[in-house]
Amino acid sequence: MATKVLLLALAICRLIVTVGLEMVAVPTEVLRLGIEGELSLDRRDVERASNDFGKLRRAEPLAVVHPASAEDIVRVIQTAYEWGYGLTVSARGHGHSINGQAQSSKGVVIEMSSERRRTSAAATTKVNEKERYVEVWGGELWIQVLRATLEYGLAPMSWTDYLYLSVGGTLSNAGISGQTFNHGPQISNVLELDVVTGKGELLTCSNERNSKLFHAVLGGLGQFGIITRARIALEPAPHRVRWIRVLYSNFAVFTKDQEFLISLHGKPARQRFDYVEGFVIVDEGLINNWRSSFFSPSNPVKISSLKADGGVLYCLEIAKNYREGDADIIDQEIESLLNKLDFIPSSVFTTDLSYVDFLDRVHKAELKLRAKSLWDVPHPWLNLFVPKSRIADFDRGVFKGILGNKTSGPILIYPMNKNKWDQRSSVVTPDEDVFYLVAFLRSALDTESLDYLTYQNRQILRFCDDADIGVKQYLPHYTTQEEWMDHFGDKWDQFYQRKMQFDPRRILATGQRIFMPFTSTTTITNDVM
């Protein structure tokens, strides 16, 4: 314990030297600090915490904490809060952010998903089979949650496309995938949280208890507290999934069918699909890429042969979950639904796989890319919520305009129902009943392509601004106060007041670049970084 205390004292001293503050004695509160986990200054730990999946921004922390429990996080944040010289704290899950949102320059990064914590009591996932919920550590990965709940024949209802993300990380944003139209985002399926606020308070919160903190943290970008425990609703898990893809050459028909399918969210399961997504194809090479691999190599699909509108094709992805005993009737249910759609008749591609394999499909693609050294590269991703009323304008201006015929990665597009989102959360979405996610998931293999894709992202945002499309960024990245205030719109005042209540010294998640860290010489004002 003495070693851990010394390391933290050294880290804080290093902070003072780095930022040029007058050297003062380390307070006795720091010297008495003891955590059960590990506080590390090891270069490998620091380097890991300095980077993320995006590889677009690097920020080196002073120290990395591998907590054994929520109490360790409480001690770290209390120390930073009482110290008052700008020591910041960021929680890092799987490090899958794009623009350094989980980094902490001259601060402490808490590794929530650390393998070193796996044997601690906090790592235990608890399934309540009777009440149908699971309680998990905030740093647990969704793939681990799935494995634990399937032992009881249960599973969460709402997912992300990629399961190697932390529970706390996705709940700090929203957590969306093809089930969102029906069950809402992951934040709409949370029953209770344990949160360590920016004042070092460990609080349990829910709709009924500490509700203001509960709704602030959900989609709150890590600004109000670190999620240490989440209670997530479950449902009976299906055994298998019938996964179908069909193609469209007309955007209006494509969106009409997508919007029809999500309008069935209130229907019995037999009268709707369980998953609705889609993607845009502007590059023939992408139609059989890692995300589209179930198209038969012996029967390749050519954009030119399908008379694509403006050289662009649109692929609708739909899936039907079923249990082993229902295999005989699933074909009838699917046929009934497909008969109501207007896709290209010759373009139906179907595969059948286990529920786990379907949910974990992107990880299998990851392994292929890693084998080719194509995974650990810069990812200048851009995720936008586009209002339904302007999605056709977006198609003309971006898919058929700005993109050209080289995309460097998948472009997802699918609609969601706003009434499935709790407006009390911190998330902001377009003010329409239906809005689309458009996700540009591109990879840059060299500096030239990174510069090009970054410039193209700016072109897309500039087009949306000039055309007054009314988009909102998902996983937002801004650097000025004006941009953040515009992003939150009518929610900005509430967001700011919540920040002042739960993290008044602006200790948490400074990598988001929303608020300047507070120091003993700082006046609390409405400032961003």
Side-chain angles (χ1 to χ4, degrees):
M1 183 176 292
T3 301
K4 298 168 188 171
V5 173
L6 177 61
L7 285 173
L8 185 55
L10 288 173
I12 294 176
C13 289
R14 180 180 166 197
L15 167 67
I16 296 173
V17 172
T18 302
V19 300
L21 298 174
E22 181 182 355
M23 190 63 175
V24 296
V26 176
T28 57
E29 291 82 0
V30 174
L31 296 178
R32 292 173 183 166
L33 176 67
I35 61 174
E36 296 302 317
E38 178 185 352
L39 190 148
S40 172
L41 296 179
D42 185 272
R43 288 304 308 170
R44 290 170 296 181
D45 283 342
V46 171
E47 182 64 24
R48 170 182 163 83
S50 300
N51 293 288
D52 59 19
F53 179 70
K55 298 190 183 307
L56 303 177
R57 184 170 180 264
R58 188 180 186 281
E60 185 172 306
L62 297 174
V64 176
V65 170
H66 303 275
S69 65
E71 284 70 26
D72 280 353
I73 299 172
V74 168
R75 292 186 183 99
V76 173
I77 294 180
Q78 283 180 345
T79 299
Y81 182 74
E82 294 166 3
W83 181 230
Y85 282 93
L87 181 65
T88 63
V89 180
S90 290
R92 186 180 190 272
H94 193 53
H96 211 263
S97 55
I98 300 301
N99 291 285
Q101 289 93 333
Q103 295 171 9
S104 182
S105 178
K106 304 180 180 66
V108 175
V109 169
I110 299 179
E111 284 279 5
M112 297 294 292
S113 297
S114 174
E115 291 295 328
R116 305 179 199 187
R117 194 198 44 79
R118 288 280 171 244
T119 58
S120 71
T124 303
T125 298
K126 301 176 182 177
V127 177
N128 188 314
E129 190 174 3
K130 181 179 179 181
E131 299 294 330
R132 287 189 181 176
Y133 66 75
V134 59
E135 292 190 340
V136 298
W137 171 252
E140 208 73 9
L141 302 183
W142 284 102
I143 184 64
Q144 294 155 351
V145 176
L146 176 62
R147 290 168 179 162
T149 58
L150 283 178
E151 292 183 10
Y152 298 84
L154 300 170
M157 294 175 277
S158 190
W159 295 97
T160 56
D161 283 343
Y162 182 57
L163 301 189
Y164 286 74
L165 304 173
S166 69
V167 170
T170 64
L171 296 185
S172 294
N173 288 282
I176 57 177
S177 185
Q179 304 87 5
T180 302
F181 81 96
N182 192 43
H183 296 292
Q186 290 180 315
I187 59 173
S188 293
N189 296 275
V190 178
L191 305 176
E192 187 176 273
L193 298 171
D194 281 350
V195 175
V196 183
T197 72
K199 294 188 284 189
E201 303 169 307
L202 177 57
L203 300 174
T204 298
C205 55
S206 65
N207 270 318
E208 295 77 30
R209 182 180 181 187
N210 293 316
S211 61
K212 186 180 292 187
L213 176 63
F214 182 69
H215 296 299
V217 168
L218 294 174
L221 306 177
Q223 293 298 306
F224 312 107
I226 295 176
I227 298 170
T228 60
R229 179 185 64 91
R231 179 179 290 181
I232 300 160
L234 303 175
E235 66 175 357
H239 297 140
R240 299 194 63 79
V241 174
R242 192 68 55 81
W243 187 16
I244 303 162
R245 287 179 173 175
V246 295
L247 297 175
Y248 293 76
S249 61
N250 184 287
F251 186 71
V253 177
F254 169 70
T255 54
K256 173 185 69 70
D257 280 359
Q258 280 198 320
E259 289 164 18
F260 165 70
L261 290 175
I262 71 165
S263 74
L264 304 177
H265 63 88
K267 299 289 185 180
R270 66 181 182 277
Q271 297 178 24
R272 57 171 169 77
F273 285 107
D274 297 289
Y275 166 97
V276 177
E277 281 199 16
F279 59 93
V280 180
I281 306 166
V282 301
D283 178 355
E284 287 197 21
L286 285 177
I287 203 163
N288 284 297
N289 74 350
W290 64 271
R291 190 176 172 88
S292 312
S293 57
F294 72 69
F295 291 127
S296 172
S298 63
N299 184 27
V301 179
K302 296 290 186 181
I303 292 179
S304 56
S305 68
L306 296 174
K307 299 179 180 179
D309 181 14
V312 180
L313 280 178
Y314 310 93
C315 180
L316 172 64
E317 291 188 287
I318 42 185
K320 197 93 164 94
N321 302 336
Y322 68 97
R323 300 181 69 83
E324 297 287 3
D326 298 330
D328 292 340
I329 64 172
I330 200 70
D331 288 334
Q332 298 175 11
E333 294 178 2
I334 290 173
E335 183 179 2
S336 176
L337 287 164
L338 291 181
N339 285 338
K340 299 174 182 177
L341 306 180
D342 294 319
F343 51 85
I344 298 171
S346 61
S347 69
V348 182
F349 298 84
T350 302
T351 189
D352 195 280
L353 64 173
S354 73
Y355 184 58
V356 173
D357 284 344
F358 174 73
L359 292 180
D360 201 30
R361 60 200 180 278
V362 176
H363 179 60
K364 296 181 184 301
E366 173 192 348
L367 296 178
K368 295 179 183 178
L369 291 178
R370 284 189 182 278
K372 299 177 181 178
S373 299
L374 297 176
W375 183 259
D376 291 320
V377 298
H379 296 94
W381 287 9
L382 178 65
N383 295 270
L384 302 174
F385 287 150
V386 182
K388 168 188 168 181
S389 65
R390 302 301 304 277
I391 194 65
D393 297 322
F394 191 94
D395 170 61
R396 286 189 291 271
V398 178
F399 301 149
K400 296 187 177 79
I402 293 172
L403 289 186
N405 63 355
K406 297 292 182 182
T407 60
S408 301
I411 303 171
L412 306 188
I413 175 171
Y414 58 91
M416 290 171 278
N417 296 304
K418 190 179 181 73
N419 62 6
K420 297 294 182 178
W421 296 64
D422 192 328
Q423 299 308 306
R424 295 172 294 179
S425 77
S426 293
V427 177
V428 288
T429 62
D431 190 20
E432 293 190 6
D433 292 341
V434 171
F435 58 90
Y436 280 77
L437 170 75
V438 181
F440 300 87
L441 309 182
R442 282 99 68 84
S443 302
L445 302 183
D446 52 40
T447 302
E448 183 179 355
S449 62
L450 176 60
D451 291 342
Y452 174 75
L453 294 173
T454 301
Y455 171 70
Q456 199 172 71
N457 285 346
R458 289 197 296 267
Q459 281 186 297
I460 294 168
L461 291 172
R462 189 180 306 117
F463 164 78
C464 291
D465 187 52
D466 292 344
D468 197 22
I469 299 292
V471 302
K472 294 292 184 182
Q473 281 194 36
Y474 178 58
L475 314 177
H477 169 62
Y478 301 106
T479 58
T480 69
Q481 181 184 59
E482 182 180 5
E483 288 173 319
W484 279 112
M485 292 179 70
D486 181 64
H487 171 75
F488 284 106
D490 293 341
K491 282 191 171 183
W492 172 255
D493 288 342
Q494 174 183 264
F495 192 86
Y496 175 75
Q497 292 303 322
R498 287 173 170 178
K499 182 69 171 180
M500 294 304 100
Q501 179 177 354
F502 299 117
D503 183 24
R505 290 188 182 272
R506 308 164 189 167
I507 291 168
L508 300 175
T510 54
Q512 292 281 1
R513 301 178 64 81
I514 303 176
F515 297 98
M516 284 286 291
F518 174 85
T519 71
S520 60
T521 59
T522 301
T523 302
I524 295 180
T525 60
N526 197 17
D527 295 329
V528 298
M529 295 188 69

